[in-house]
């Protein structure tokens, strides 16, 4: 995924305070994602799959928060003191949403409900692609360090999410892959920004 990221992980895992803040930062991002999904729900037409997805993302936020106990350090809230690279971590998802909405407005002329739903599909797709890379790399680093913390239950659910997003995207547009690739491109730029802010914070 990124050399830089691979090098950051052992550094984080070997330091309980950093590790607690890392878990809390991931928890914040999962919670932001969960709240975004909930915010996109149409009160009338929301489906089983969207409810399931929102519930699982909320669970990820909670589960990561719970893992913090095993570090012995405390991160009671999402205030910046308890996060790694707080500005960039908060910015990542919000900016991705802004970028994707701009693309959908300009390229597809979407607005209102349709725009909201299409943005949910593309933003979530890009995040799921990232989650499917990030959590296994993190789990591998945890295994190597013989850590008591594990994210295997998250990995399982994230794999399901990517499939679900692809199924939903297929019904959204025959050109879904083209739009999805654009979203992934936007996400990559923001992800690398986030990693470089993390690296700076750890130095
Ligand atoms: Fe998640
Ligand atoms: Fe997910």
């Amino acid at each position: 995924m990124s050399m830089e990221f691979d090098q950051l992980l052992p550094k984080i895992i070997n330091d309980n305070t950093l590790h607690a803040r890392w878990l809390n930062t991931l928890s914040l991002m999962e919670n932001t994602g969960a709240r975004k999904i909930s915010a996109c729900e149409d009160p009338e037409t929301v489906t089983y799959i969207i409810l399931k997805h929102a519930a699982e993302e909320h669970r990820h936020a909670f589960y990561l928060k719970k893992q913090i106990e095993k570090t012995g350090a405390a991160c009671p809230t999402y205030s910046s003191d308890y996060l790694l690279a707080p500005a960039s971590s908060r910015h990542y998802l919000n900016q991705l949403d802004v970028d994707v909405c701009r693309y959908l407005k300009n390229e597809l002329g979407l607005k209102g409900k349709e725009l909201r739903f299409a943005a949910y599909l593309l933003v979530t797709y890009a995040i799921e692609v990232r989650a499917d890379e990030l959590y296994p790399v993190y789990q591998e680093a945890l295994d190597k360090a013989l850590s008591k913390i594990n994210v295997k239950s998250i990995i399982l659910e994230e794999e399901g999410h990517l499939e679900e997003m692809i199924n939903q995207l297929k019904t959204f547009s025959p050109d879904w892959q083209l739009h999805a690739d654009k979203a992934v491109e936007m996400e990559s730029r923001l992800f690398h920004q986030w990693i470089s802010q993390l690296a700076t914070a750890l130095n």
Side-chain angles (χ1 to χ4, degrees):
M1 132 157 31
S2 138
M3 273 287 285
E4 222 177 354
F5 182 65
D6 290 351
Q7 288 161 2
L8 293 180
L9 279 173
K11 206 168 176 176
I12 292 170
I13 293 169
N14 288 325
D15 181 311
N16 282 326
T17 307
L18 290 180
H19 201 182
R21 288 182 193 167
W22 163 253
L23 286 163
N24 202 38
T25 304
L26 290 179
S27 173
L28 163 93
M29 292 166 105
E30 291 280 0
N31 182 249
T32 309
R35 283 187 297 114
K36 276 200 186 296
I37 295 172
S38 297
C40 289
E41 284 169 12
D42 183 280
E44 207 175 309
T45 57
V46 64
T47 60
Y48 171 91
I49 220 73
I50 297 174
L51 290 175
K52 171 175 170 285
H53 198 167
E56 288 176 354
E57 299 303 0
H58 279 293
R59 191 192 76 82
H60 297 169
F62 166 72
Y63 179 84
L64 290 161
K65 193 80 168 181
K66 195 161 164 54
Q67 295 296 299
I68 295 173
E69 288 166 16
K70 297 183 187 167
T71 66
C75 292
T77 68
Y78 292 143
S79 88
S80 297
D81 296 345
Y82 302 124
L83 298 171
L84 293 179
S88 179
S89 302
R90 291 184 211 279
H91 178 73
Y92 164 82
L93 245 173
N94 292 328
Q95 189 60 44
L96 181 58
D97 213 16
V98 169
D99 292 349
V100 165
C101 282
R102 184 180 301 135
Y103 169 80
L104 288 168
K105 265 187 224 164
N106 295 343
E107 299 296 317
L108 300 182
L110 297 185
K111 52 183 195 283
K113 257 189 195 179
E114 272 170 4
L115 173 67
R116 237 190 349 264
F117 185 65
Y120 152 73
L121 292 178
L122 291 186
V123 168
T124 312
Y125 172 84
I127 292 167
E128 295 304 342
V129 170
R130 179 63 62 195
D132 278 2
E133 276 182 42
L134 185 141
Y135 282 113
V137 172
Y138 177 35
Q139 182 61 55
E140 206 178 299
L142 288 170
D143 290 341
K144 242 184 227 159
L146 305 174
S147 174
K148 279 177 279 180
I149 289 158
N150 91 77
V151 292
K152 287 174 193 163
S153 70
I154 298 183
I155 293 174
L156 258 175
E157 286 178 349
E158 299 295 13
E159 281 169 1
H161 293 168
L162 187 59
E163 264 182 56
E164 288 161 13
M165 292 322 295
I166 292 171
N167 288 336
Q168 291 185 89
L169 276 161
K170 280 180 181 162
T171 47
F172 162 71
S173 161
D175 297 329
W176 72 271
Q177 185 74 65
L178 181 102
H179 305 308
D181 289 348
K182 280 279 174 205
V184 167
E185 219 178 282
M186 295 170 198
E187 189 280 339
S188 282
R189 195 178 58 82
L190 290 163
F191 178 77
H192 289 289
Q193 232 170 280
W194 179 63
I195 292 295
S196 88
Q197 288 302 309
L198 274 178
T200 311
L202 295 178
N203 272 323

